[in-house]
Amino acid sequence: MELPAPFLADRAAVDDAQALIRDHGEEAGFAAAARAEQYRVLGNHIHFARWRQIERLITYLSVDSALDTIH
């Protein structure tokens, strides 16, 4: 499977992704997408982009197989 690693601006993005996974389980990606959409509607492009990246990170973390070389 070819899934590029998501961009991480800071550690807080990982913490936010982990919190959504803990609170929403398999629906965490949808929760992040909903937050991104809320910010898009508000016209806040910075927070929209942040939550889209967190959504991608959740997808990346949810894959059970190795996505790259294992050392």
Side-chain angles (χ1 to χ4, degrees), residues 44-61:
N44 187 330
H45 64 278
I46 293 173
H47 281 100
F48 166 74
R50 175 179 175 71
W51 284 103
R52 288 287 293 151
Q53 289 298 334
I54 292 170
E55 179 187 1
R56 290 182 188 101
L57 175 59
I58 290 168
T59 301
Y60 190 81
L61 293 173

